[in-house]
Amino acid sequence: MKFDTVIIGGGLSGLTAGISLAEAGRKVAIVSTGQSAMHFSSGSLELLSCPGNPIEAMAKLPSDHPYSRLGADRAARFAAEVPGIFARAGIKTAGTHEANHYRLTPVGMFKPAWLTLEDYITVENPADIPWRSACVINLHGFLDFYPDFIAAGLNRAGVSTRTVAISAPAIERRRESTTEMRATNIARVLHGDTAKELARAIRNAASPDDEMILLPAVAGFRDFEASRMLKAEVGRPMAYVATMGTSVPGVRAQLMLERRFTALGGTYLPGDTVVRGHFDGTRLKAVETANFRSDLLHARDFILTSGSFFSRGLVATPERVEEPVFGLDVSTPVRSPELFNKDLFSPQPFMKSGILTQGSDFKAMRDGLPIENLHVCGSALAGADALKEGSGAGIATLTALAVSEKLKNNN
């Protein structure tokens, strides 16, 4: 099989690059092993977790950071493109790269965010929340939402908040098995008459004094129809809060981006894994996958967006960090045994590990030489601690757009 570009990894970075190239008429394939980090998304994307302007804050990052290699002007230009890519996939977002807003976390804290999906609770400033009373509603038996944490956080911010637990008959039947009371399982049944039943229960539970109703993000699995319908049926100010565990907004965003990619003519290969690369000197000629084996995927260019440790794009042992598929060169900030900190809540040095790349188009390095047509995007890159910085989604999308722009200009 022959393509203009083969992308290895079907998460946020891979889909962003794939959509950008497919919109330009390129023949693109994405090989996706399975569940990506998007399935655990909060419903918000972070560029850099800081008050104010995240682009300006990039000036303080070290020179080897992916943002520093992009430069502030390019970072701002690519960041401005991302809401449009999402909108064309049917995903509305709030926010701008020029000033972070704040999202409400599942543990009741406010954190800076760049973009947030529609219907999710956001504020411009936690010290100036525009409503003074709230009701946090949970579903009986739901395992992944902690309303008392939400209420405590809002009360600290000066919002008088109470909690209520409700149910609806169709959801109540899910309680027969505790494993069914998860966000994505609830979302699969929460539509049509079930959504109307739940809306009635919400209206009955809410007090006239509640200026805002907050509900866990359990509506709208494949698109926004159910979440919008539920809000309309309630008929009062209502917003969603991200849950723990598997994320309905994250899964939904991934599904909608996948549909956009395939609608543009892209080839999406789910449940497959690249197991080997076929090189000719410093060029990657083709990749072999677990499902297609001898039917190699040939391309002019390749993009590696396989992620970091969560998705096994990088593999760590106590002694070293490796890239497991192509044997690419990996940078680690320190030597063993200093790769990790025994204090779980301290910054972990190994998080800055990543694939060594050359230039602002992130060409992969192998045995000290750049691979001419293999580029790396997202969390597999060296130099960033996305968890500490709150930069994961920004690095994923901005480096993907930088590489796709380079490939479009070259061909």
Side-chain angles (χ1 to χ4, degrees):
M1 292 184 283
K2 293 185 178 180
F3 300 91
D4 295 323
T5 306
V6 169
I7 299 172
I8 301 129
L12 179 60
S13 192
L15 285 165
T16 300
I19 289 170
S20 178
L21 290 166
E23 285 181 337
R26 301 301 193 271
K27 186 179 180 183
V28 186
I30 294 177
V31 183
S32 178
T33 299
Q35 194 176 66
S36 79
M38 288 183 72
H39 286 226
F40 299 89
S41 165
S42 65
S44 292
L45 282 72
E46 296 173 331
L47 194 57
L48 199 60
S49 187
C50 63
N53 189 320
I55 300 294
E56 292 177 355
M58 291 178 186
K60 300 177 182 178
L61 295 171
S63 60
D64 63 341
H65 194 283
Y67 285 155
S68 300
R69 294 169 65 184
L70 286 175
D73 290 344
R74 292 176 78 211
R77 178 163 59 85
F78 294 137
E81 292 181 23
V82 174
I85 291 173
F86 274 65
R88 291 190 292 277
I91 305 168
K92 292 183 180 180
T93 58
T96 170
H97 64 279
E98 296 176 343
N100 278 330
H101 59 269
Y102 288 81
R103 66 179 178 92
L104 183 60
T105 73
V107 293
M109 299 180 67
F110 285 96
K111 290 189 64 176
W114 161 38
L115 300 174
T116 296
L117 304 188
E118 68 170 89
D119 292 342
Y120 291 86
I121 189 65
T122 64
V123 297
E124 294 302 314
N125 186 342
D128 189 23
I129 297 174
W131 23 272
R132 307 317 303 163
S133 62
C135 179
V136 183
I137 294 180
N138 196 16
L139 307 177
H140 282 295
F142 181 41
L143 302 173
D144 299 327
F145 190 65
Y146 303 95
D148 288 345
F149 288 175
I150 306 294
L154 290 173
N155 282 317
R156 284 194 300 270
V159 179
S160 178
T161 308
R162 64 193 187 93
T163 64
V164 178
I166 64 171
S167 191
I171 295 173
E172 190 70 20
R173 287 192 289 273
R174 294 255 158 190
R175 294 183 64 197
E176 295 173 5
S177 170
T178 56
T179 59
E180 288 295 305
M181 288 300 289
R182 297 289 184 182
T184 50
N185 293 331
I186 294 169
R188 288 186 174 94
V189 301
L190 191 53
H191 53 81
D193 289 342
T194 301
K196 292 179 181 179
E197 290 173 1
L198 188 63
R200 285 193 293 271
I202 293 170
R203 290 196 301 268
N204 291 336
S207 162
D209 296 330
D210 297 327
E211 295 181 20
M212 175 60 70
I213 298 169
L214 300 177
L215 193 74
V218 293
F221 185 75
R222 296 190 62 82
D223 53 38
F224 285 91
E225 181 180 352
S227 62
R228 292 168 182 163
M229 174 187 173
L230 186 59
K231 285 191 69 175
E233 287 288 329
V234 170
R236 294 184 54 180
M238 189 183 93
Y240 297 100
V241 181
T243 65
M244 305 289 273
T246 306
S247 159
V248 169
V251 173
R252 177 175 62 218
Q254 172 137 1
L255 291 173
M256 294 179 76
L257 290 171
E258 288 174 11
R259 289 200 295 271
R260 171 65 175 166
F261 175 68
T262 55
L264 290 165
T267 300
Y268 194 78
L269 303 173
D272 202 357
T273 303
V274 172
V275 295
R276 188 174 293 107
H278 292 251
F279 289 88
D280 181 6
T282 56
R283 287 190 66 83
L284 179 59
K285 295 172 57 181
V287 293
E288 178 182 335
T289 74
N291 290 350
F292 289 95
R293 288 296 178 182
S294 59
D295 192 3
L296 304 180
L297 305 184
H298 295 262
R300 190 166 44 200
D301 297 290
F302 297 83
I303 305 176
L304 181 63
T305 66
S306 54
S308 185
F309 302 103
F310 173 81
S311 56
R312 295 186 63 80
L314 297 173
V315 176
T317 69
E319 291 77 32
R320 59 187 302 180
V321 176
E322 299 176 330
E323 187 282 309
V325 177
F326 301 115
L328 301 177
D329 297 344
V330 173
S331 168
T332 54
V334 293
R335 294 185 179 274
S336 175
E338 299 171 335
L339 282 174
F340 67 94
N341 192 319
K342 291 182 179 180
D343 182 352
L344 180 64
F345 297 99
S346 295
Q348 297 294 333
F350 73 85
M351 290 297 292
K352 286 192 175 183
S353 300
I355 298 169
L356 280 169
T357 57
Q358 183 187 72
S360 60
D361 56 349
F362 305 102
K363 286 183 180 177
M365 302 288 291
R366 186 170 183 255
D367 298 329
L369 298 173
I371 305 300
E372 299 171 29
N373 63 334
L374 175 60
H375 304 261
V376 183
C377 302
S379 59
L381 290 166
D385 184 344
L387 190 62
K388 178 185 175 184
E389 299 164 356
S391 60
I395 292 172
T397 52
L398 271 55
T399 58
L401 290 175
V403 168
S404 60
E405 179 180 77
K406 177 71 173 180
L407 298 187
K408 288 184 284 188
N409 289 339
N410 283 353
N411 299 315

